Amino acid sequence: AALALGFALDMLLGDPEVVVYPQYFIKKLVAKLDKSFRNSYKNTPEAQRMAGLMMTVIVLLIVAAVALLLLFVGYKLNAALGIFLEGIMCWSALKTAAGGVMRAARAGNLSSAQRKVKKVTFRDTDDMNIDAVIKSTVESVAENTTDWAVAPIFWSAIFGGLGGILYRTVNIIDNTVGYKTDIYINFGKFPAKLDDVLSFIPARIAA
């Protein structure tokens, strides 16, 4: 019931950037701890890898603690409230914002479609026409089907809202620091590998 509710909310509302939305909180938390942890360890490969591991563990523990507390209190008070809170967690694990792009494109609203596809793909969309917007969206969905839909549903189906939101947390950390740049090549190694491990089975289901 919670997974169905989360899926319905995602299809209706997408991925809103508001403070009450769990993904917004997680992104802000990762951004806040990123620089702090990188600067707290020596700038050596071993130390930076440990810093990335520690940051990932701390973020996961915070998210897990908050999620478990909400679920415990919700289900203690009322089963419907518990399902609602768990549904919110399942919703926050999903990311199917491409639907908003396609609705704007079908309506012929180019400026809205450009704005929405920029949010989904982070590309410069100012010079895109409707065809380019659609192609960019389809490409992005094809590339991210595992991360955005299959894996969150997979982990939510097994472990409920907690599994979904913890997977999304790992995915957000990977998207924030899991790059092979001079700054993140070592710091982002652990979250990148953890994301690979958690996505292994869902990626084969998606294929």
Side-chain angles (χ1 to χ4, degrees):
L3 180 54
L5 174 61
F7 188 82
L9 287 171
D10 192 65
M11 295 301 291
L12 289 169
L13 303 175
D15 190 15
E17 289 291 328
V18 293
V19 177
V20 294
Y21 187 56
Q23 272 200 45
Y24 181 87
F25 164 74
I26 295 168
K27 289 174 183 177
K28 288 291 184 182
L29 178 63
V30 172
K32 188 175 182 64
L33 294 180
D34 169 17
K35 192 173 182 180
S36 175
F37 270 83
R38 275 192 292 111
N39 293 338
S40 296
Y41 285 73
K42 291 181 180 179
N43 192 21
T44 63
E46 295 80 8
Q48 285 296 299
R49 281 196 290 270
M50 180 56 69
L53 187 153
M54 292 299 294
M55 186 202 73
T56 303
V57 170
I58 293 296
V59 172
L60 287 173
L61 286 174
I62 292 172
V63 172
V66 173
L68 284 170
L69 179 62
L70 287 173
L71 289 175
F72 178 77
V73 172
Y75 279 110
K76 274 289 185 182
L77 292 175
N78 184 277
L81 177 60
I83 291 172
F84 174 75
L85 291 173
E86 194 163 8
I88 295 293
M89 292 178 194
C90 292
W91 171 33
S92 69
L94 291 160
K95 182 178 180 181
T96 52
V101 181
M102 302 309 281
R103 283 192 292 272
R106 280 197 295 268
N109 190 337
L110 179 59
S111 61
S112 176
Q114 287 173 331
R115 189 169 62 254
K116 290 177 185 295
V117 81
K118 188 172 187 177
K119 181 181 175 183
V120 174
T121 65
F122 304 105
R123 298 177 183 175
D124 183 5
T125 61
D126 292 342
D127 296 327
M128 285 187 178
N129 58 23
I130 287 291
D131 285 345
V133 163
I134 293 172
K135 287 177 182 178
S136 180
T137 305
V138 171
E139 178 190 348
S140 192
V141 169
E143 182 182 8
N144 293 289
T145 295
T146 299
D147 289 350
W148 289 0
V150 179
I153 291 173
F154 176 82
W155 291 112
S156 295
I158 296 175
F159 296 110
L162 179 64
I165 201 166
L166 287 179
Y167 173 79
R168 170 57 61 217
T169 301
V170 171
N171 193 242
I172 289 172
I173 298 172
D174 177 41
N175 289 339
T176 305
V177 304
Y179 298 104
K180 293 184 177 180
T181 61
D182 291 341
I183 296 175
Y184 291 120
I185 184 68
N186 294 301
F187 184 78
K189 189 167 187 176
F190 177 77
K193 291 297 182 184
L194 182 59
D195 185 72
D196 289 344
V197 170
L198 295 179
S199 299
F200 185 81
I201 295 175
R204 274 124 193 96
I205 294 172

